[in-house]
Amino acid sequence: MTVNREIHLASRPQGWPTADNFRLVETEVPTPGPGQLVVRNQLMSVDPYMRGRMDDVKSYVPPFALDAPLDGGALGEVVAGEADGIAPGDTVLHGLGWREYALVDARGARRVDPDLAPVSAYLGVLGMTGLTAYAGLLDVAAMKPGETVFVSGAAGAVGSMVGQIAKLKGAGRVVGSAGSAAKVERLRVLGFDAAFDYHDGPVRDSLRAAAPDGIDVYFDNVGGEHLEAAIGAMRLHGRAAICGMIAQYNETEPPAAPRNLALVIGKRLTLRGFLVGDHGHLRDRFVQEVAGWLREGKLSYDETVVDGIARAPEAFLGLLRGENLGKMLVRL
Amino acid sequence: MTVNREIHLASRPQGWPTADNFRLVETEVPTPGPGQLVVRNQLMSVDPYMRGRMDDVKSYVPPFALDAPLDGGALGEVVAGEADGIAPGDTVLHGLGWREYALVDARGARRVDPDLAPVSAYLGVLGMTGLTAYAGLLDVAAMKPGETVFVSGAAGAVGSMVGQIAKLKGAGRVVGSAGSAAKVERLRVLGFDAAFDYHDGPVRDSLRAAAPDGIDVYFDNVGGEHLEAAIGAMRLHGRAAICGMIAQYNETEPPAAPRNLALVIGKRLTLRGFLVGDHGHLRDRFVQEVAGWLREGKLSYDETVVDGIARAPEAFLGLLRGENLGKMLVRL
């Protein structure tokens, strides 16, 4: 009998999580019941939002349970079970990552075509990550051609899509911030008009230098000082799509910034938080458009891959520290 | 020759303004040139936004100049000049308050009918104040029937309109906060479902008691702790119309709140700052609807009137301290 290994939440982090908050547990490979599939996971996603689920607070998704496996986006091959037109040998996308073998309800699995694109794309550029960028920029922030767009966390999976999609959709100027010189260099290669390392000085000053005439749209992955700088740089009727605030997920004290929120009045700004789940109506248009850009070589994406279920916690901690370029994945 | 008295800005306030920041100056009554009118002001408005104009910072309107008269909404009788169909004897609304006689460009004046409504209404419920409430609630926050609405500064000129219009438009529950027991009592008479004095405890606790199932719309006149409490109480897809942040206009340090801004993501909230000037397209509908409610006795408004140009600074300072019920006016 094959052993299944999975990662449990051993304890809830106080502030920054550590390896001690996770536990590798061996279990049995499950047996499928009616309507169920057993999937041998090949890739799993680690995402910043998972940090919030480690706290015991009510949110849009329930918190992770202690002494139970974590979950999240994953992709693998069906090895047992048959339902809803899915059969062994199929590659499916589902929500039960952090384990080598997943017992999945067939209705919660979606078959993907491994010949159409590298399967990892379905967890990134062609998946939730890509749709988050697409929906946030075009639907939530309603970017118009000619506008100046600023995105933080720009070398991450979502941020790098935001900047490139903005250019492809006619943005006048696209500015990105990231956490290292190498990432900044990568953003220039991806076609950003300007990019800066937020360690190099106050974000406000770097942003002013990169966008001297101000910005119209801010795509926020970071919060805190970045959001404050963006509000300060906004032009009349600017919009911020608030996707994440990774700068504060591990803070035990609430952030002081943005301290300039009163500017939303005189500048008539709109700040709007969003989750990709509300924007499913864009999925068909998104897949068609993004797949086209990929085929034509107009859109590039990076992946940072860590090997083995035992290193999944390490991949997640690295993501929180910004050690990834593009999408952070664990190969199982 | 008649003397004209006007209020100049003598110095820029640091923090809370004092009487020393103002100076009463005697000048001559002006003589109209072509296209100009001389208006003997009868009423002038003092408004919270004027505090921002006393600072020397770039904003949506230029700062007040030192050693020059302040300005703002006013209303009076034309005593000299004739242009654009306006003649002596007419009552006009214009933007040059803080003085007994105003030399007004006829294109910047609007004739009002003193027989149709008490003239003070044109500075309040039927004027910018009323339109601010109407546009912010219905256009910016897009309140829908059945929703729960929370408004701060609810006994003020704008806030009391917001609450009443919300009820007239079918809000399920309307909650207001104000700064005294007498104001809270007045809100109950005006038809608010619940009201509290924000001095009585943390706003968060008072709001939770007043709206145990949460709120859908927040009309912000106050900022700071009120905004933080509102974000905390918001239900999914809640909207805040940010009209003012009077709690912080006189603070020399930027406010720490709202410290819970990250909640905009999971709850998919929209925070939107606005100025009434962007919503002029609603004016006809607004006047028709509000004038109808007034005629039918469905809408009440309060006024706090101070007499004499010399007391205009006192009226303004009282407004910042919340000493007014409803619209604060100076009768000249």
Side-chain angles (χ1 to χ4, degrees), chain A residues 59-60 227 237 242-245 248-249 254-259 261-262 264-266 268-275 278, chain B residues 59-60 227 237 242-245 248-249 254-259 261-262 264-266 268-275 278:
Chain A
S59 180
Y60 56 95
L227 178 55
H237 300 116
I242 317 272
C243 177
M245 295 193 175
Q248 64 197 60
Y249 292 165
R259 292 156 295 195
L261 198 58
V264 302
I265 303 170
R268 291 90 109 190
L269 306 182
T270 301
L271 313 184
R272 196 172 155 209
F274 75 102
L275 294 177
D278 289 341
Chain B
S59 179
Y60 56 96
L227 179 55
H237 300 117
I242 318 268
C243 177
M245 294 193 176
Q248 64 196 60
Y249 293 165
R259 292 157 297 193
L261 198 57
V264 302
I265 303 170
R268 292 90 110 187
L269 307 182
T270 301
L271 313 185
R272 195 169 156 211
F274 75 103
L275 293 177
D278 289 341

Side-chain angles (χ1 to χ4, degrees), chain A:
Chain A
M1 193 204 73
T2 316
V3 167
N4 176 33
R5 295 187 298 169
E6 55 191 30
I7 304 290
H8 287 204
L9 184 65
S11 57
R12 299 199 183 279
Q14 305 296 321
W16 282 86
T18 65
D20 290 344
N21 299 125
F22 303 88
R23 185 185 301 124
L24 182 69
V25 174
E26 296 196 349
T27 64
E28 292 177 14
V29 174
T31 308
Q36 292 183 321
L37 311 167
V38 174
V39 180
R40 186 170 55 75
N41 281 334
Q42 293 158 332
L43 283 171
M44 60 165 269
S45 176
V46 289
D47 299 280
Y49 79 86
M50 293 171 173
R51 175 62 188 86
R53 295 189 63 193
M54 293 179 180
D55 295 329
D56 190 17
V57 292
K58 191 187 153 204
S59 180
Y60 56 95
V61 278
F64 290 127
L66 281 176
D67 299 319
L70 301 165
D71 60 62
L75 187 144
E77 187 188 343
V78 178
V79 293
E82 187 160 351
D84 282 22
I86 303 178
D90 286 344
T91 299
V92 294
L93 190 66
H94 61 90
L96 293 179
W98 295 89
R99 67 201 76 186
E100 292 179 315
Y101 289 87
L103 181 64
V104 174
D105 187 319
R107 289 167 304 182
R110 189 161 64 87
R111 198 164 42 192
V112 299
D113 185 347
D115 297 329
L116 209 67
V119 289
S120 65
Y122 295 103
L123 285 173
V125 59
L126 284 174
M128 297 294 262
T129 302
L131 183 56
T132 298
Y134 188 90
L137 181 69
L138 303 178
D139 204 19
V140 179
M143 187 206 87
K144 293 184 285 287
E147 291 190 324
T148 295
V149 174
F150 172 47
V151 54
S152 55
V158 171
S160 62
M161 286 303 114
V162 170
Q164 292 181 88
I165 294 172
K167 289 302 284 184
L168 287 162
K169 285 290 195 178
R173 185 169 179 81
V174 174
V175 175
S177 72
S180 74
K183 288 181 178 178
V184 166
E185 180 49 35
R186 178 65 185 152
L187 294 181
R188 296 223 171 86
V189 172
L190 290 177
F192 282 65
D193 298 292
F196 61 87
D197 181 344
Y198 64 83
H199 299 101
D200 286 349
V203 177
R204 187 179 57 178
D205 297 345
S206 301
L207 181 55
R208 190 180 294 134
D213 296 328
I215 64 174
D216 302 292
V217 165
Y218 174 50
F219 192 106
D220 192 15
N221 291 309
V222 170
E225 190 194 350
H226 271 85
L227 178 55
E228 181 169 297
I231 290 171
M234 282 260 187
R235 303 208 281 218
L236 287 191
H237 300 116
R239 291 90 59 204
I242 317 272
C243 177
M245 295 193 175
I246 197 169
Q248 64 197 60
Y249 292 165
N250 297 308
E251 299 302 319
T252 49
E253 290 300 311
R259 292 156 295 195
N260 59 352
L261 198 58
L263 292 177
V264 302
I265 303 170
K267 297 190 186 189
R268 291 90 109 190
L269 306 182
T270 301
L271 313 184
R272 196 172 155 209
F274 75 102
L275 294 177
V276 64
D278 289 341
H279 301 269
H281 61 284
L282 291 176
R283 179 174 289 281
D284 290 347
R285 182 149 66 88
F286 153 74
V287 168
Q288 192 178 351
E289 205 156 23
V290 170
W293 289 327
L294 286 171
R295 266 196 314 273
E296 297 161 20
K298 292 180 174 169
L299 193 67
S300 305
Y301 60 96
D302 298 309
E303 294 175 345
T304 303
V305 181
V306 168
D307 276 298
I309 184 75
R311 293 181 63 204
E314 179 188 328
F316 177 68
L317 299 177
L319 173 78
L320 292 182
R321 286 191 297 261
E323 291 167 4
N324 56 306
L325 189 67
K327 182 72 185 172
M328 186 69 118
L329 294 169
V330 181
R331 187 159 42 208
L332 304 178

Side-chain angles (χ1 to χ4, degrees), chain B residues 88-112:
Chain B
D90 286 345
T91 299
V92 295
L93 190 67
H94 61 90
L96 294 179
W98 294 90
R99 67 200 78 187
E100 291 178 316
Y101 289 88
L103 180 64
V104 173
D105 188 318
R107 289 168 303 184
R110 189 161 64 87
R111 199 163 42 193
V112 299

Side-chain angles (χ1 to χ4, degrees), chain B residues 37 43 48 53 78 94-95 117 119 173 215 255 281 303 322:
Chain B
L37 312 166
L43 282 171
R53 295 189 64 194
V78 178
H94 61 90
V119 289
R173 186 169 179 79
I215 64 173
H281 61 282
E303 294 174 345

Side-chain angles (χ1 to χ4, degrees), chain B:
Chain B
M1 193 203 72
T2 315
V3 167
N4 175 34
R5 293 187 300 168
E6 56 191 30
I7 303 291
H8 287 203
L9 185 64
S11 56
R12 300 199 183 279
Q14 306 295 322
W16 282 86
T18 65
D20 292 344
N21 299 125
F22 302 88
R23 185 185 299 123
L24 182 69
V25 174
E26 296 197 347
T27 63
E28 292 177 14
V29 174
T31 308
Q36 292 182 322
L37 312 166
V38 174
V39 180
R40 186 169 56 74
N41 282 335
Q42 293 159 331
L43 282 171
M44 58 166 270
S45 176
V46 289
D47 299 281
Y49 80 86
M50 294 172 174
R51 176 62 188 85
R53 295 189 64 194
M54 293 180 180
D55 295 329
D56 190 18
V57 291
K58 191 185 152 202
S59 179
Y60 56 96
V61 277
F64 289 127
L66 282 177
D67 300 317
L70 301 164
D71 59 62
L75 187 145
E77 186 188 345
V78 178
V79 293
E82 187 159 351
D84 281 25
I86 303 177
D90 286 345
T91 299
V92 295
L93 190 67
H94 61 90
L96 294 179
W98 294 90
R99 67 200 78 187
E100 291 178 316
Y101 289 88
L103 180 64
V104 173
D105 188 318
R107 289 168 303 184
R110 189 161 64 87
R111 199 163 42 193
V112 299
D113 185 347
D115 297 330
L116 210 65
V119 289
S120 65
Y122 294 103
L123 286 173
V125 60
L126 284 174
M128 297 293 263
T129 302
L131 183 55
T132 298
Y134 188 91
L137 181 69
L138 303 178
D139 204 18
V140 178
M143 186 206 88
K144 294 185 284 288
E147 291 191 322
T148 295
V149 174
F150 172 47
V151 54
S152 55
V158 171
S160 60
M161 286 303 114
V162 170
Q164 292 179 86
I165 294 172
K167 290 302 285 184
L168 287 162
K169 286 290 194 177
R173 186 169 179 79
V174 174
V175 176
S177 73
S180 74
K183 288 180 178 178
V184 167
E185 180 49 35
R186 178 64 185 153
L187 294 181
R188 297 224 170 87
V189 172
L190 290 177
F192 282 67
D193 298 291
F196 60 86
D197 181 344
Y198 64 82
H199 299 101
D200 286 349
V203 177
R204 187 179 56 177
D205 297 346
S206 301
L207 181 55
R208 190 180 294 134
D213 297 327
I215 64 173
D216 302 292
V217 165
Y218 173 49
F219 192 107
D220 191 14
N221 291 309
V222 169
E225 190 194 350
H226 272 85
L227 179 55
E228 181 169 298
I231 289 172
M234 283 261 188
R235 302 209 280 219
L236 286 191
H237 300 117
R239 291 89 60 203
I242 318 268
C243 177
M245 294 193 176
I246 197 168
Q248 64 196 60
Y249 293 165
N250 298 306
E251 299 303 318
T252 49
E253 290 300 313
R259 292 157 297 193
N260 59 352
L261 198 57
L263 292 177
V264 302
I265 303 170
K267 296 190 187 190
R268 292 90 110 187
L269 307 182
T270 301
L271 313 185
R272 195 169 156 211
F274 75 103
L275 293 177
V276 64
D278 289 341
H279 301 269
H281 61 282
L282 291 176
R283 180 173 288 281
D284 289 348
R285 182 148 67 86
F286 153 73
V287 168
Q288 192 178 350
E289 204 155 26
V290 170
W293 288 328
L294 286 171
R295 265 195 315 273
E296 298 162 18
K298 291 180 175 170
L299 193 67
S300 305
Y301 61 95
D302 297 309
E303 294 174 345
T304 303
V305 181
V306 169
D307 276 298
I309 184 76
R311 292 181 63 204
E314 180 188 326
F316 177 68
L317 298 177
L319 173 77
L320 292 183
R321 286 191 297 260
E323 291 167 4
N324 56 306
L325 191 66
K327 182 72 184 169
M328 185 69 119
L329 294 169
V330 182
R331 186 159 43 208
L332 305 177

